[in-house]
């Protein structure tokens, strides 16, 4: 039992990765649609690439969205408008007319004229209330069908123009006063009618909407059907509009089938295999090419978390409304991975994530093409994320790529630009703006996962920081040495394409351990007194070697990132404090080399290797007397060749060609420092 527990403990890192792998696979599969996926890809106007397709079962042909929208609009336009009518209003108006008629005209008006005017009034009232007078103006077509309701019973039907608007009353009065004989009485007549006329027709909006909804509910979303084994399309045949709709109907029917329990389990197993395969490729990539990331459980968790998060957000957007899928800023993923790791890992993870999203999104090929191209552009354009201008420029380029690619796909599908969906361009612009959120997101990730990005490195490179200020006060010689090493290392990193910001920060902090005993290091000895004279060779070597351990302790105290501490830990590798070792060998025969060696580890990256070379060359260059170009070249060659012989760079992914480039940079920089010129023969 104890052996089993010990074995578990020794392999706890691999066990954790296995559990993380399983949990991520289950989570992503849970988000996937649980139906089968139509196995054919097709596009309108393109030849059918597969074999002859026969209907696998009976299914109905779905109407297109345009057809359904047209049918709905036709129903809305043709459904009658319902109005509530009050017939008692007409009786009331007639009564008021009779009561007020005599008082409306001058007393001198003859009886015959009054009789004729009364007849005209009765005629006008009958005409006004033939259908009714509206309570307010409505903007409907004159030919729109109407129905008048008395209670809930249909009283009369007609067209909207039959109803009288209140501003039409005067026109009807004018029409009945064409005879000039009674023209002088028209103003009295009009004044009387405007006092007594009341609306009796009110639009019943709720009832009209209910009838419209009932009519809309009767719409059939299918037109015709296809019988089983009917030939739908032959190989090589162009997919026209009708065939395209039949294929879309088959696809919808296929994916919406009610699956049996056994089929459902098979679909789940198939999805699980595909997702597991994709995630396994990512783990194998890390194991093969990014072993330092693979061995760090926090970093592996971070990668899997981000992939799961992108899949989750995309799924939620598709479930809400798939037309917003391009608003999801997928390109944040390669940006984040590039900020914390490198471009190659960022692109690899991005491509795998997009492949997984292909199971969720509509038009998966188009979506994957756009997102992979955008991811490549992201990786190629964003070089220094800590520079805000670079991020804005890159986001603009990414948005432009989206727009160009979408435009090309639309033209391929439709064959024209007349029906181009301009609103999709708005989604791309919003996606670009959302990508700018990567800056605060990186800060949040740094705090949660304890990672460090180039943005944090930029802050650490500030020589006014508390720790570097302390170094300059306690060990000014070491601080000056660190600045020189930082300049040399940055130039070397730029030459071979390494992370210049990282190596510069590592160089600034690599000797902070010397603050504990600054006078034991020659660059800080300004009084001419050497405290090593009072120590044995072993003790002196131990003080020198301990500046690495002390540096790590100080770095931990000031919460420096592990990526920076790696430079402190490895900048001397397993080299020997040669001065005291040689001195000891002169005095004693039996000398252990381990007593004068640094504990290591050896440099394990291009950046840590650069620091070792630059640190050794810069420190030793102070001992050069009357330096010349030839002396500096020989001096640089000797120091770096000795490090190669000792195997200091065996664990680093640095090539001989890159080392030669670094030598060239160091020779040039040292020559500039000493203001040397090329030696011409006399």
């Amino acid at each position: 039992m104890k052996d089993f527990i010990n074995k578990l403990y020794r392999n706890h890192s691999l066990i954790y990765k296995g559990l993380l792998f399983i949990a991520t696979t289950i989570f992503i599969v849970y988000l996937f649609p649980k139906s089968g996926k139509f196995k054919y890809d097709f596009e309108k106007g393109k030849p059918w690439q597969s074999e002859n397709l026969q209907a696998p079962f009976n299914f109905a042909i779905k109407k297109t969205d345009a057809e359904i929208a047209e049918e709905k609009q036709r129903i809305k336009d043709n459904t009658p408008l319902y109005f509530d009518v009050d017939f008692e209003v007409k009786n009331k108006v007639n009564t008021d007319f009779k009561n007020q008629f005599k008082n409306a005209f001058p007393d001198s008006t003859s009886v015959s004229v009054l009789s004729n005017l009364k007849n005209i009034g009765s005629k006008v009232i009958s005409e006004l209330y033939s259908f009714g007078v509206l309570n307010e103006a409505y903007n409907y077509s004159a030919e729109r069908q109407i129905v008048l309701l008395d209670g809930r019973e249909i009283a009369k039907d007609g067209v909207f123009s039959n109803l009288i608007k209140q501003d039409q009353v005067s026109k009807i009065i004018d029409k009945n006063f064409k005879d000039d004989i009674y023209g002088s009485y028209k103003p009295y007549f009009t004044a009387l009618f405007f006092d007594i006329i009341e609306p009796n027709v009110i639009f019943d909006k709720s009832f009209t909407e209910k009838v419209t909804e009932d009519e809309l509910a009767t719409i059939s979303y299918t037109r015709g059907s296809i019988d089983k084994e009917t030939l739908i399309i032959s190989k090589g045949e162009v997919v026209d509009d009708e065939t395209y709709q039949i294929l879309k109907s088959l696809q919808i029917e296929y994916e919406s089938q009610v699956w049996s329990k056994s089929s459902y389990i098979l679909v789940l197993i198939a999805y699980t295999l595909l997702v597991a395969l994709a995630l396994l490729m990512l783990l194998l990539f890390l194991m093969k090419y990014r072993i330092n990331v693979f061995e760090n459980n926090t970093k592996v968790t971070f990668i899997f978390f981000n992939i799961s998060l992108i899949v989750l957000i995309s799924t939620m957007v598709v479930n809400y409304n798939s037309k917003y899928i391009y608003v999801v800023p997928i390109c944040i993923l390669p940006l984040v991975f590039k900020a914390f790791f490198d471009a190659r890992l960022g692109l690899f993870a991005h491509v795998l994530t997009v492949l997984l999203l292909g199971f969720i999104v509509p038009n998966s090929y188009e979506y994957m093409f756009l997102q992979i191209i955008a991811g490549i552009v992201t990786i190629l354009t964003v070089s220094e994320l800590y520079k805000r201008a670079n991020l804005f420029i890159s986001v603009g380029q990414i948005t432009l790529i989206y727009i160009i690619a979408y435009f090309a796909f639309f033209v391929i599908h439709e064959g024209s630009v007349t029906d181009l969906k301009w609103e999709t361009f708005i989604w791309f612009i919003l996606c670009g703006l959302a990508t700018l959120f990567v800056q605060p997101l990186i800060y949040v990730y740094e705090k949660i996962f304890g990672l460090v990005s180039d943005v944090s490195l930029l802050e650490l490179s500030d020589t006014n920081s508390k720790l570097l200020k302390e170094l300059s006060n306690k060990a000014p010689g070491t601080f000056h040495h660190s600045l020189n090493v930082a300049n040399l290392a940055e130039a070397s990193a730029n030459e071979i394409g390494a992370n210049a910001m990282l190596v510069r920060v590592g160089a600034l902090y690599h000797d902070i351990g010397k603050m504990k005993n600054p006078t034991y290091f020659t660059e800080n000895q300004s009084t001419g007194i050497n405290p090593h004279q009072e120590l044995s060779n072993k003790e002196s070597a131990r003080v020198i070697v301990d500046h690495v351990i002390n540096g790590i302790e100080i770095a931990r105290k000031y919460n420096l990132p592990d990526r920076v501490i790696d430079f402190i830990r490895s900048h001397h590798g397993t080299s020997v404090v040669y001065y005291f070792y040689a001195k000891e060998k002169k005095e004693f025969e039996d000398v252990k080399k381990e007593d004068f060696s640094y504990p290591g580890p050896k440099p394990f990256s291009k950046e840590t290797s650069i620091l070792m070379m630059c640190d050794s060359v810069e420190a030793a260059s102070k001992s050069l007397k009357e330096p010349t170009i030839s002396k500096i070249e020989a001096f640089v060659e000797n120091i770096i060749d000795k490090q190669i012989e000792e195997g200091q760079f065996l664990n680093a992914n640095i090539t001989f060609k890159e080392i030669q480039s670094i030598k060239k940079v160091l020779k040039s920089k040292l020559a500039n420092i000493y203001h040397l010129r090329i030696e011409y023969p006399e």
Side-chain angles (χ1 to χ4, degrees):
M1 185 66 182
K2 187 177 180 181
D3 292 339
F4 178 73
I5 293 173
N6 289 335
K7 191 173 182 180
L8 284 178
Y9 180 77
R10 285 194 303 270
N11 296 293
H12 74 278
S13 181
L14 283 175
I15 294 171
Y16 173 81
K17 290 182 184 67
L19 293 174
L20 178 67
F21 172 79
I22 293 170
T24 306
T25 301
I26 293 172
F27 177 73
I28 293 175
V29 170
Y30 172 77
L31 297 174
F32 278 4
K34 302 303 185 297
S35 64
K37 193 168 180 67
F38 197 55
K39 63 181 178 179
Y40 300 106
D41 289 322
F42 55 92
E43 295 179 27
K44 191 187 297 183
K46 296 291 180 183
W48 178 256
Q49 300 295 334
S50 305
E51 297 298 325
N52 296 353
L53 176 63
Q54 294 179 321
F57 44 75
N58 297 334
F59 67 93
I61 303 172
K62 307 286 183 185
K63 292 179 181 176
T64 65
D65 292 340
E67 288 174 332
I68 293 171
E70 183 182 348
E71 193 168 340
K72 285 182 177 180
Q73 190 59 48
R74 187 165 57 250
I75 288 174
K76 290 177 182 178
D77 292 341
N78 295 329
T79 301
L81 302 173
Y82 288 83
F83 292 85
D84 294 320
V85 62
D86 185 357
F87 291 116
E88 292 301 320
V89 172
K90 180 180 179 181
N91 296 330
K92 181 177 180 300
V93 170
N94 275 319
T95 302
D96 291 342
F97 175 73
K98 290 175 183 178
N99 293 336
Q100 299 180 33
F101 180 76
K102 288 183 180 180
N103 299 328
F105 298 95
D107 294 336
S108 59
T109 307
S110 66
V111 174
S112 62
V113 170
L114 287 174
S115 177
N116 288 329
L117 288 174
K118 198 169 187 178
N119 290 334
I120 292 172
S122 298
K123 184 180 177 183
V124 169
I125 291 172
S126 296
E127 188 172 347
L128 287 175
Y129 290 97
S130 173
F131 271 81
V133 178
L134 287 166
N135 65 323
E136 59 180 275
Y138 296 99
N139 187 26
Y140 291 109
S141 168
E143 302 302 317
R144 184 74 180 268
Q145 292 293 315
I146 63 166
V147 175
L148 299 183
L149 299 175
D150 184 9
R152 283 300 171 200
E153 299 295 326
I154 297 176
K156 193 178 289 187
D157 58 23
V159 293
F160 185 70
S161 59
N162 294 141
L163 297 174
I164 306 300
K165 297 178 183 177
Q166 292 187 41
D167 60 0
Q168 292 177 321
V169 173
S170 59
K171 293 180 181 178
I172 293 174
I173 293 173
D174 291 343
K175 186 176 70 174
N176 285 276
F177 273 88
K178 288 182 179 179
D179 193 344
D180 293 337
I181 299 173
Y182 304 109
S184 59
Y185 297 99
K186 179 181 172 184
Y188 303 106
F189 196 87
T190 302
L192 170 62
F193 264 73
F194 271 93
D195 286 339
I196 65 173
I197 293 299
E198 294 181 15
N200 71 326
V201 175
I202 300 173
F203 179 48
D204 193 338
K205 185 178 179 181
S206 61
F207 190 76
T208 302
E209 288 178 349
K210 183 179 182 303
V211 172
T212 304
E213 290 298 323
D214 291 342
E215 288 294 322
L216 289 174
T218 63
I219 290 178
S220 172
Y221 288 84
T222 62
R223 50 174 177 81
S225 62
I226 300 294
D227 294 330
K228 184 178 179 180
E229 296 184 356
T230 301
L231 179 65
I232 297 174
I233 191 169
S234 303
K235 184 176 181 179
E237 185 180 340
V238 175
V239 180
D240 57 21
D241 290 344
E242 180 65 21
T243 308
Y244 179 81
Q245 196 56 34
I246 293 173
L247 290 171
K248 287 296 291 184
S249 302
L250 176 59
Q251 180 181 7
I252 294 168
E253 186 67 27
Y254 182 84
E255 293 180 351
S256 64
Q257 287 186 63
V258 178
W259 294 82
S260 65
K261 188 174 181 181
S262 59
S263 299
Y264 180 79
I265 292 172
L266 282 174
V267 170
L268 279 182
I269 292 172
Y271 273 136
T272 303
L273 288 174
L274 292 173
V275 174
L277 192 62
L279 295 179
L280 182 62
M281 293 304 102
L282 180 58
L283 284 176
L284 291 175
F285 172 84
L286 295 177
M287 189 187 301
K288 178 83 172 173
Y289 299 106
R290 299 293 182 272
I291 189 65
N292 59 321
V293 176
F294 179 80
E295 291 174 349
N296 189 316
N297 284 341
T298 301
K299 292 179 179 179
V300 176
T301 304
F302 174 74
I303 293 170
F304 276 61
F305 169 79
N306 276 277
I307 292 174
S308 302
L309 182 64
I310 291 294
V311 174
L312 173 63
I313 294 172
S314 299
T315 305
M316 291 172 64
V317 171
V318 169
N319 290 339
Y320 175 70
N321 193 331
S322 61
K323 75 176 184 178
Y324 299 126
I325 187 60
Y326 286 111
V327 179
V328 181
I330 304 294
C331 288
I332 279 184
L333 191 68
L335 277 175
V336 168
F337 286 163
K338 186 177 181 182
F340 288 113
F341 306 112
D342 59 80
R344 190 175 177 187
L345 172 56
L347 182 59
F348 193 87
H350 175 73
V351 170
L352 287 180
T353 305
V354 172
L355 290 176
L356 291 175
L357 292 176
F359 292 108
I360 302 171
V361 300
N363 299 323
S364 55
Y365 175 77
E366 176 183 328
Y367 176 84
M368 288 191 293
F369 183 90
L370 259 66
Q371 296 296 1
I372 290 174
I373 291 295
I376 293 171
V377 171
T378 302
I379 292 296
L380 294 178
T381 57
V382 182
S383 55
E384 294 170 319
L385 191 59
Y386 56 85
K387 293 183 179 179
R388 288 171 295 180
N390 285 0
L391 180 60
F392 279 98
I393 293 169
S394 296
V395 166
Q397 291 172 334
I398 293 165
T399 305
L400 182 62
I401 290 297
Y402 272 132
I403 291 173
I404 292 172
Y406 173 78
F407 176 80
F409 268 110
F410 188 88
V411 172
I412 290 172
H413 291 162
E414 303 296 332
S416 70
V417 295
T418 52
D419 297 325
L420 191 64
K421 298 177 182 177
W422 296 101
E423 65 175 12
T424 308
F425 295 158
I426 298 174
W427 308 146
F428 292 140
I429 293 170
L430 290 175
C431 177
L433 294 175
T435 306
L436 295 174
F437 184 68
V438 70
Q439 285 282 19
L441 186 64
I442 286 173
Y443 176 79
V444 171
Y445 280 154
E446 285 179 336
K447 299 304 177 186
I448 295 175
F449 291 93
L451 300 172
V452 59
S453 68
D454 285 352
V455 180
S456 294
L457 291 176
L458 181 64
E459 295 174 0
L460 289 170
S461 67
D462 183 8
T463 53
N464 289 314
S465 65
K466 185 177 178 181
L467 183 53
L468 291 180
K469 276 282 188 184
E470 188 178 347
L471 177 63
S472 66
N473 291 331
K474 290 185 177 179
T478 299
F479 178 71
H480 185 260
H481 159 73
S482 297
L483 286 176
N484 289 336
V485 173
N487 291 331
L488 293 174
E490 185 176 18
S492 301
N494 285 325
E495 183 68 21
I496 66 169
N499 190 330
M501 179 60 69
L502 176 61
V503 77
R504 179 175 181 81
V505 173
L508 288 173
Y509 291 91
H510 79 285
D511 270 345
I512 56 174
K514 292 182 180 180
M515 285 194 295
K516 194 165 185 179
N517 298 299
T519 57
Y520 283 86
F521 300 90
T522 55
E523 66 265 25
N524 299 313
Q525 294 171 0
S526 59
T527 60
I529 300 173
N530 188 350
H532 285 288
Q533 293 173 354
E534 300 177 2
L535 301 176
S536 66
N537 294 324
K538 282 186 180 180
E539 289 172 334
S540 293
R542 184 51 48 203
V543 170
I544 300 297
V545 168
D546 281 349
H547 87 273
V548 172
I549 306 300
N550 295 333
I552 294 171
E553 291 175 356
I554 294 171
R556 298 276 187 214
K557 179 182 175 183
Y558 281 86
N559 295 318
L560 291 185
D562 287 337
R563 288 176 79 184
V564 177
I565 295 175
D566 287 340
F567 288 90
I568 301 172
R569 186 184 289 114
S570 64
H571 73 278
H572 284 294
T574 56
S575 61
V576 176
V577 184
Y578 192 76
Y579 176 80
F580 293 107
Y581 174 66
K583 198 174 174 186
E584 183 76 1
K585 282 190 75 173
K586 287 181 181 179
E587 299 176 10
F588 303 97
E589 291 183 4
D590 187 18
V591 179
K592 291 183 179 179
K593 201 172 185 179
E594 295 79 14
D595 294 335
F596 295 86
S597 299
Y598 286 94
K602 295 176 180 179
F604 46 80
S605 66
K606 289 181 181 180
E607 288 78 14
T608 51
S609 300
I610 289 170
L611 178 61
M612 172 180 270
M613 293 182 229
C614 295
D615 180 43
S616 300
V617 168
E618 203 284 331
S621 68
K622 298 294 189 292
S623 63
L624 280 175
K625 296 177 181 178
E626 298 180 2
T628 61
I629 294 289
S630 56
K631 278 186 180 180
I632 286 175
E633 289 182 351
F635 163 79
V636 171
E637 291 284 348
N638 289 337
I639 289 178
I640 296 179
D641 287 348
K642 185 178 179 183
Q643 290 173 338
I644 294 172
E645 289 172 10
E646 292 175 353
Q648 297 295 340
F649 307 127
L650 290 178
N651 296 334
N653 59 335
I654 192 166
T655 64
F656 282 114
K657 183 178 180 180
E658 289 169 335
I659 291 174
Q660 288 300 118
S661 298
I662 293 169
K663 285 180 181 179
K664 184 178 177 181
V665 170
L666 293 177
K667 291 171 186 177
S668 173
K669 287 290 181 183
L670 287 177
N672 291 335
I673 289 171
Y674 289 108
H675 306 289
L676 298 177
R677 298 288 186 270
I678 297 173
E679 299 173 4
Y680 294 101
E682 294 183 2

